[in-house]
Amino acid sequence: MNPDDEISRLVEIMPASGRMYVKLIDRPAQAEVITANLPLPWQQSRPIYLNFDLWEELSRSQRDLLLLRTVAWVNATRWFQPGWPQLLLAAGTLGTVVELAQGDAMGTVAAAGLTAFSGYRIWKNSRSSQIELEADERAINFARQRGYTEQEAARSLLSAIEAVAQIESRFSLDFTELLRCQNLRAIAGLSNTPVPERLREK
């Protein structure tokens, strides 16, 4: 597989938001097939790293869905969506600036602590089951715009999750991956048991 050719193909199937912000980077030294970090609020570029030696072990449909899913996830971070962590982050940041300007060391430490705590909560929420499942569902919607049926897309993403675990020599899927697989089986029509709402919100 020629990485440049594959990157060009993947860019073509990305949604417009992906083409604007996402940068695909060949990183052959990584142990993961595909990985991305949580984008920070001041970062415009959202890099996604691929090991093309491992990537080519997946089928084309698996690669498509895995890429669309990762794009959906990096664009799902809710730094500025209204909510108490975002309000605390704004208050903590403003408080830190004010306390620094006033030279109040204790106030600065307190405000910076509030900023760090709220930032951590937003980061943790970005890894929640709900965000992970929503990213899968958005990827399926993107795939439908590329000619896949909903069931085909769900089955391709389901098989990609399982294939990636094997390629990366992981002996089992983690809890979130198991939830995602169950949700995808329900979408694909392979199971009549959807993921309970109480687990989606964890």
Side-chain angles (χ1 to χ4, degrees), residues 17-192:
S17 58
R19 291 185 196 135
M20 287 175 59
Y21 299 111
V22 171
K23 183 176 182 182
L24 302 179
I25 299 172
D26 180 15
R27 192 157 70 176
Q30 73 181 24
E32 298 87 0
V33 176
I34 183 170
T35 187
N37 297 319
L38 176 69
L40 296 172
W42 56 83
Q43 290 179 320
Q44 295 247 339
S45 176
R46 297 179 178 183
I48 293 175
Y49 302 98
L50 300 107
N51 180 331
F52 284 101
D53 291 333
L54 304 178
W55 184 251
E56 68 179 346
E57 296 185 35
L58 299 169
S59 70
R60 182 170 179 149
S61 63
Q62 289 173 334
R63 298 197 306 266
D64 288 352
L65 267 296
L66 205 53
L67 185 278
L68 291 172
R69 195 268 170 194
T70 308
V71 170
W73 182 80
V74 297
N75 285 326
T77 308
R78 299 167 177 175
W79 287 104
F80 301 112
Q81 178 172 317
W84 69 264
Q86 287 81 1
L87 292 174
L88 287 178
L89 181 64
T93 303
L94 179 61
T96 301
V97 172
V98 170
E99 297 299 337
L100 277 172
Q102 293 179 350
D104 183 348
M106 290 299 292
T108 300
V109 169
L114 178 62
T115 303
F117 170 75
S118 53
Y120 170 75
R121 288 303 308 170
I122 295 171
W123 177 85
K124 190 168 178 61
N125 288 344
S126 75
R127 297 286 184 177
S128 70
S129 299
Q130 182 178 2
I131 293 294
E132 298 283 355
L133 294 174
E134 287 176 358
D136 288 345
E137 290 161 4
R138 276 195 298 276
I140 290 169
N141 287 333
F142 292 149
R144 290 177 66 188
Q145 297 168 21
R146 303 297 184 270
Y148 288 88
T149 67
E150 183 177 53
Q151 290 76 19
E152 287 172 342
R155 290 179 187 185
S156 294
L157 185 52
L158 171 63
S159 65
I161 293 170
E162 295 168 341
V164 164
Q166 289 185 338
I167 292 168
E168 294 176 354
S169 300
R170 290 189 277 125
F171 295 108
S172 62
L173 301 177
D174 64 29
F175 177 73
T176 301
E177 287 173 325
L178 290 172
L179 278 183
R180 292 173 58 204
C181 287
Q182 182 57 40
N183 191 51
L184 290 168
R185 286 190 187 95
I187 295 170
L190 302 174
S191 170
N192 293 324

